[in-house]
Amino acid sequence: MKITIGAVVEGGSSLQYRTGSWRLERPILDHDACKDCGRCEEVCPDSAVHWEEAGFRIDYDYCKGCGLCAYECPEEAIQMIPEEK
Ligand code: SF4
Ligand code: SF4
C-alpha cells in the first residue's frame, strides 16, 4: 500500500475568503449603547470586528452574519437585521 503525504507549503489565512456574501442577516452596532468591552471582537469567528479610532466597526466584507457578536454582547448593542440583497 502506498501512502502519499501532502506538504503544506504556505499558511492559510481567512483574509483570502470574503465571507460577507454568505450573510442573510446584518449586525448593526449601536455606538451609543456600546461600552467598548471588546467581547464582539473576541468571539467573531471571521475576525470581522475591529477597533477603529472612535469605536468598534464591523467589516462587512468578512462578516458572514452568524449573529454570535449580537448574542454575546452584554449591552445588547448589536442587532441583527435581514440583509438586503
Ligand atoms: S460586545 Fe457589545 S458592548 Fe462590547 S464592544 Fe461589542 S458592541 Fe460594544
Ligand atoms: S455576525 Fe458573526 S461574522 Fe458578523 S461580525 Fe458578528 S460574529 Fe462576526
Side-chain angles (χ1 to χ4, degrees):
M1 181 170 69
K2 182 179 177 184
I3 298 175
T4 304
I5 300 175
V8 176
V9 293
E10 184 180 339
S13 168
S14 61
L15 289 173
Q16 296 169 299
Y17 306 101
R18 293 184 176 241
T19 48
S21 63
W22 299 5
R23 203 172 48 246
L24 298 178
E25 288 188 303
R26 170 178 290 245
I28 302 296
L29 198 159
D30 178 350
H31 292 278
D32 292 331
C34 175
K35 301 293 187 227
D36 297 339
C37 71
R39 182 78 179 135
C40 53
E41 183 182 36
E42 289 172 1
V43 301
C44 177
D46 285 294
S47 299
V49 185
H50 301 283
W51 177 263
E52 293 181 3
E53 286 180 29
F56 284 97
R57 294 278 183 272
I58 296 169
D59 185 338
Y60 293 109
D61 282 345
Y62 294 98
C63 165
K64 64 187 172 194
C66 69
L68 198 53
C69 55
Y71 182 80
E72 289 286 336
C73 175
E75 306 297 331
E76 298 185 356
I78 301 176
Q79 301 300 319
M80 302 298 293
I81 65 166
E83 182 65 58
E84 292 178 14
K85 292 287 181 184

